[in-house]
Amino acid sequence: MSGTSGSVAAATPDDEYEILCDNVGSFLRRYSTEDGVTVVTDTQLDGTTAYVPTGTVVRCDAETAPAPNPQIDGTIQRQTGAGTVTIAAGARSVTLVVYAGSPTVAIGGGSAVTVAAGTALTWGVDRGGDAGESLQDAYVFTGVSGSDFLVTSTREL
């Protein structure tokens, strides 16, 4: 048929998946919508073995909600020339900005790595509270003659 154009749409179900948790652990919930009808199917994480939730069903990350409005302590230190700045383990964030020279950074007692001027690095976690996250390692920033760098950190009190 000359000059005819168009498209064909086949009706297919729309499937959405979410990993949820109950009193036993995590499982997979599938929401299938076809012809305006939504069907919920729970399976083990393999996606095929049927699962029956036990107790309260919640989003897995909701089980250990962070404490509301935690108190955060911040630090800032500028190091010019030779010297060391140490951020103890347990911080929520650590940031290094190098203005001049080539200081080094050692993480968790590991080997020191040289960082060039103009570099900015940040390490951090996004979830605090009673069961929250923190950086497990200490950070040691060491300046040499000609170094100029800034180290900031945050820590939950």
Side-chain angles (χ1 to χ4, degrees):
M1 300 172 87
S2 177
T4 302
S5 66
S7 63
V8 175
T12 59
D14 177 27
D15 291 336
E16 302 290 330
Y17 297 88
E18 185 170 17
I19 296 177
L20 298 174
C21 289
D22 63 6
N23 292 356
V24 176
S26 55
F27 64 96
L28 184 65
R29 178 165 284 172
R30 181 179 69 231
Y31 301 92
S32 298
T33 304
E34 187 172 2
D35 297 328
V37 176
T38 300
V39 176
V40 176
T41 305
D42 295 330
T43 65
Q44 292 182 13
L45 294 177
D46 64 9
T48 57
T49 306
Y51 185 82
V52 177
T54 302
T56 303
V57 174
V58 296
R59 289 181 54 144
C60 294
D61 59 357
E63 285 186 347
T64 55
N69 303 316
Q71 294 288 315
I72 305 295
D73 180 43
T75 65
I76 185 168
Q77 184 172 344
R78 187 163 189 169
Q79 178 65 45
T80 56
T84 301
V85 176
T86 301
I87 304 298
R92 283 186 71 181
S93 69
V94 177
T95 298
L96 166 69
V97 178
V98 181
Y99 300 113
S102 299
T104 62
V105 60
I107 301 172
S111 299
V113 175
T114 302
V115 181
T119 301
L121 301 170
T122 298
W123 300 265
V125 297
D126 63 355
R127 195 178 147 141
D130 294 337
E133 303 166 322
S134 65
L135 299 168
Q136 72 176 9
D137 296 316
Y139 292 75
V140 179
F141 304 93
T142 304
V144 296
S145 179
S147 292
D148 184 6
F149 61 93
L150 185 71
V151 177
T152 61
S153 70
T154 60
R155 177 179 306 276
E156 195 167 316
L157 297 177

